[in-house]
Amino acid sequence: MVIHNADRRMQIYGALLLLPAAVLLGTFAYLPTVATLVNSFFLPGFRGAPPEFVGLENYALLVEDTTFWKVARNNLIYALGTIPTSIALALGMALFVNARLPGRGLVRMAYFTPTILPMIAAANIWMFFYAPQIGLFNKLLGALGMSGINWLGDPGVALTSVIAMTVWKEAGFFMIFYLAALQSIPPELEEASVLEGTSRWSFFWRVTFPLLMPTTLFVLINALINAVRVVDHLFILTKGGPNNATNLLLYYVYENAFSFFDRTYAATITVVILLVLAVVATVKFTVLDRRTHYQ
């Protein structure tokens, strides 16, 4: 009986410790998600009229919305452009600064500096780089005898310009995780490979990279989330233009909710985004996680 009461007290104690986090999670994650799902089944009420229940009509409109599919395509291109590039660059930088080189601390700081800048500040810096007349990039092209490019005004170049800024901003952040993972690898493994005469390239692919797979998966999930929640630097750089060439999903949600005042349609888009992320998370926890940790 005494043991049973002690176990019960420990369970209550653990539940009380989890209670603040559970309240915050429910208030700022689960309740908004449920409210968003409910709102997606309504049409907004105008001039004081109550919202009208329309069932799946918003989802039918979403399927027929050509702008939504263009924005979804933009977001897919954006993700394919930023995620692999940021991860590969972060891994390369981590390998470089993990080696013995002069001024290693300064190099690490230089790589990590873009990460500590607020996104709005970084976007303003790159706005100067991309400026048509006085921008740094066009000045360099002019010095080489080449004509300038309208980096943010040309629909064929604008999205690539946004991708380049994002890679510059994110790679240093992901580098920190890879650097920590590299420093946790036992040095005896590399010493043994040297004794065996293994090349550095072979050691990387057969030992280092497999041991970095948990970190790679963690970075991949974070990069995917970042690719979906892009909104702040679009305010500064392009506002989704020209002609929706750089409009991405979360910015399209913002436009519908606060520019077009169609919050129920914005809720519908949000539900679709959450469903896609839920599918990705399911794949991660059921398939990739086992293979990553060799279970």
Side-chain angles (χ1 to χ4, degrees), residues 18-19 68 91 221 248 251 267-268 275:
L18 291 174
L19 183 60
F68 168 77
L91 179 56
I221 297 301
L248 302 178
Y251 191 82
T268 305
L275 287 175

Side-chain angles (χ1 to χ4, degrees), residues 63-200:
V63 173
E64 299 173 358
D65 186 359
T66 57
T67 302
F68 168 77
W69 291 111
K70 182 176 182 179
V71 171
R73 176 178 173 272
N74 289 343
N75 220 135
L76 179 61
I77 295 173
Y78 178 86
L80 293 176
T82 56
I83 295 174
T85 309
S86 297
I87 292 176
L89 188 59
L91 179 56
M93 292 191 301
L95 290 170
F96 180 68
V97 299
N98 191 51
R100 295 184 179 90
L101 70 156
R104 182 170 58 177
L106 291 177
V107 176
R108 290 178 179 177
M109 183 181 67
Y111 284 163
F112 188 68
T113 297
T115 301
I116 64 178
L117 291 175
M119 184 60 82
I120 300 300
N124 277 287
I125 293 172
W126 281 74
M127 177 72 80
F128 168 73
F129 292 164
Y130 288 142
Q133 303 298 328
I134 62 172
L136 176 63
F137 293 156
N138 281 345
K139 289 288 186 182
L140 293 175
L141 291 177
L144 296 174
M146 303 170 63
S147 59
I149 299 173
N150 191 357
W151 299 97
L152 299 176
D154 185 350
V157 182
L159 186 58
T160 304
S161 301
V162 176
I163 289 173
M165 194 217 77
T166 304
V167 170
W168 173 82
K169 184 77 169 63
E170 290 186 346
F173 176 68
F174 297 149
M175 177 202 71
I176 296 298
F177 297 104
Y178 275 121
L179 183 59
L182 286 171
Q183 292 178 350
S184 67
I185 296 177
E188 293 82 5
L189 295 177
E190 186 172 3
E191 295 171 1
S193 71
V194 172
L195 292 176
E196 292 290 335
T198 307
S199 66
R200 296 179 65 88

